[in-house]
Amino acid sequence: MPKKTLVDLHGADLRGRVVLVRADLNVPLNGAAVSDDTRIRASLPTLEYLARAGARSVVLSHLGRPKGKRADEFSLAPVAARLEEALGTDIRFVDEPCGDAVTEAVAAMEDGQVVVLQNTRFLAGETDNDPKLSNAWAELGDVFVNDAFGAAHRAHASTAGLADAVRARGGLAVAGHLMARELKFLGDALESPERPFVAILGGAKISGKIEVISALLLKVDRLLIGGAMANTFFRAMGLETGASLVEDDRVDMARALLEEAGDVLMLPVDCVVVDEIEAGAAARTVDRAEVAPGDRIGDIGPATRQMYAHEIGAARTVVWNGPMGVFELDQLAGGTRAVAEAAASAADGGATVVLGGGDSAAAAEQAGVVDRLTHVSTGGGASLDLLSGADLPGVSSLSEAD
Ligand code: ADP
Ligand code: 3PG
Ligand code: MG
């Protein structure tokens, strides 16, 4: 069911009104320094739009997993400071997620101003999706904008709970610009992809991505597998995997997937192996049938890179999640780099190329191709859930479009 978005609201819905904005400002910190501000920058279009419209934006977000208690290392204060810098206007930070201090700060707001509240997860009611907490927030404003795509797979008090509470009071709950953009690219790719439609899956584990593999097999023309998850398939095929990362409890599942997949599923034909996954380890390229007992598979080999680049080059839609190897190590980064380059070239040629996953985004950044891709998702778990066809509570809770 299509949902209302920010652009469905009119000036009168926004000017002088208190708008509750759920953003995903859950950014990596190094001490009190923001080490990657991607999610902060991705939240700007909605906040700038609201400021221009004269709305009074009250921003809610979680940071880390403080488990319902106040904890200084999870304070949103440094994130709010970085947001202020990025927005280029003064914002006010309230050191409480809810309560009198918040109510007072909101009452003192001016049109176009932004207030950021303290970490919503300092309250146990947040992850418990406590309706009392959602209602306390809902009382502050008339409109709820959910822009937190990265947290859309969670039904928490400041996400789905707050949307429900605002709607129950007769207000509107709409998708922000970032949320709408994420749903447009990831959602459209899955619903009505231009073909050929190629998906690329990699990363450490098959277990977190099993549902994604099954769901994608029904939709794509090709599913290219890389990363450690390929090893579990190799084991299912009876190949030697040496000392590589293999999920023994998923081998039967991998075998079943191989049987149902036919030629849609493609696996590496060669690999780069090392004795230890560590900086400086000597790397060798071997055929996938020639992996020796002590070997650790750390990347896809050159023949595989060429084969995958060919498939990606012919695609009109590409969805990619998970690095092809241990891209953090130089000698095991080549496969991911080759796929990143092929994906970027496909996008240059007009294909829609969407990338999801925290490590994948870092790998694309490292390969220097981010600006050439159609869209890099800010969601990890949320993008995987969307790819596997699951319902996202943060989205299904929004007001329906007319
Ligand atoms: P994302 O965050 O993009 O969803 P994942 O978290 O699933 O990706 O996987 C990323 C991790 O997978 C990286 O840290 C990478 O080193 C690891 N990885 C990829 N290939 C291998 C491999 N062959 N063996 C061990 N680890 C691997
Ligand atoms: C993320 O970083 O994937 C989102 O912000 C959700 O965080 P969570 O996994 O702690 O709920
Ligand atoms: Mg990861």
Side-chain angles (χ1 to χ4, degrees):
M1 195 59 81
K3 297 299 181 179
K4 273 203 166 45
T5 70
L6 203 42
V7 294
D8 294 319
L9 300 183
H10 302 291
D13 299 321
L14 297 173
R15 181 156 303 280
R17 307 285 283 273
V18 174
V19 176
L20 298 154
V21 182
R22 178 55 160 96
D24 185 351
L25 303 178
N26 183 30
V27 294
L29 292 178
N30 188 354
V34 174
S35 51
D36 177 359
D37 68 350
T38 305
R39 281 179 168 170
I40 293 174
R41 285 184 286 110
S43 301
L44 294 178
T46 288
L47 296 177
E48 286 167 348
Y49 180 91
L50 288 171
R52 272 199 306 277
R56 307 175 175 201
S57 300
V58 178
V59 179
L60 302 95
S61 178
H62 74 286
L63 177 68
R65 294 178 175 171
K67 306 219 169 85
K69 284 202 237 10
R70 174 172 274 275
D72 284 348
E73 76 255 43
F74 295 115
S75 171
L76 266 177
V79 180
R82 186 68 167 262
L83 177 64
E84 178 167 55
E85 225 174 274
L87 260 181
T89 59
D90 285 354
I91 65 175
R92 175 158 177 208
F93 178 67
V94 183
D95 194 19
E96 299 288 336
C98 194
D100 292 345
V102 172
T103 310
E104 282 159 29
V106 171
M109 286 178 85
E110 289 166 15
D111 294 359
Q113 205 194 337
V114 177
V115 161
V116 175
L117 308 185
Q118 183 54 285
N119 193 343
T120 53
R121 288 191 187 168
F122 281 3
L123 301 172
E126 167 69 327
T127 51
D128 291 345
N129 197 7
D130 181 353
K132 284 201 287 296
L133 181 56
S134 301
N135 273 317
W137 281 318
E139 273 173 22
L140 298 168
D142 326 285
V143 178
F144 175 51
V145 176
N146 192 348
D147 213 20
F149 176 73
H153 57 318
R154 310 282 181 219
H156 289 170
S158 70
T159 62
L162 182 48
D164 290 342
V166 167
R167 284 190 297 104
R169 299 165 62 93
L172 288 173
V174 306
H177 288 324
L178 173 62
M179 177 75 91
R181 187 177 158 81
E182 295 271 10
L183 296 174
K184 172 172 151 56
F185 286 115
L186 280 167
D188 284 5
L190 293 170
E191 259 161 50
S192 49
E194 205 184 325
R195 293 183 184 276
F197 178 15
V198 172
I200 312 160
L201 280 182
K205 289 186 172 174
I206 206 173
S207 43
K209 299 185 181 178
I210 274 282
E211 290 79 11
V212 184
I213 299 175
S214 316
L216 284 176
L217 277 175
L218 301 173
K219 295 185 172 155
V220 300
D221 299 299
R222 289 274 192 229
L223 178 54
L224 315 179
I225 301 284
M229 70 164 72
N231 305 342
T232 303
F233 283 103
F234 289 162
R235 178 75 64 79
M237 292 159 74
L239 293 169
E240 171 68 56
T241 51
S244 308
L245 180 59
V246 172
E247 288 171 277
D248 290 313
D249 56 339
R250 301 291 161 158
V251 173
D252 287 341
M253 206 173 255
R255 196 172 295 119
L257 283 170
L258 282 171
E259 274 164 23
E260 93 190 45
D263 61 358
V264 173
L265 188 83
M266 292 182 92
L267 289 165
V269 292
D270 60 349
C271 357
V272 179
V273 298
V274 287
D275 289 337
E276 289 299 333
I277 306 248
E278 61 187 21
R284 286 176 298 119
T285 297
V286 297
D287 187 275
R288 71 179 182 196
E290 286 165 2
V291 175
D295 287 347
R296 292 175 197 270
I297 302 171
D299 196 8
I300 58 172
T304 308
R305 293 172 204 177
Q306 213 171 24
M307 183 173 100
Y308 285 6
H310 177 77
E311 296 296 331
I312 294 164
R316 294 300 300 162
T317 306
V318 178
V319 170
W320 176 18
N321 177 291
M324 297 291 98
V326 185
F327 73 99
E328 297 91 340
L329 299 180
D330 233 12
Q331 69 277 40
L332 301 174
T336 303
R337 213 181 302 122
V339 162
E341 189 49 50
S345 299
D348 292 344
T352 299
V353 181
V354 187
L355 174 66
D359 292 295
S360 309
E365 188 85 47
Q366 187 179 302
V369 302
V370 166
D371 294 341
R372 291 161 64 199
L373 305 181
T374 314
H375 178 66
V376 178
S377 178
T378 54
S383 65
L384 282 177
D385 277 12
L386 192 60
L387 291 180
S388 62
D391 179 56
L392 297 178
V395 178
S396 52
S397 56
L398 299 175
S399 305
E400 273 162 31
D402 298 327

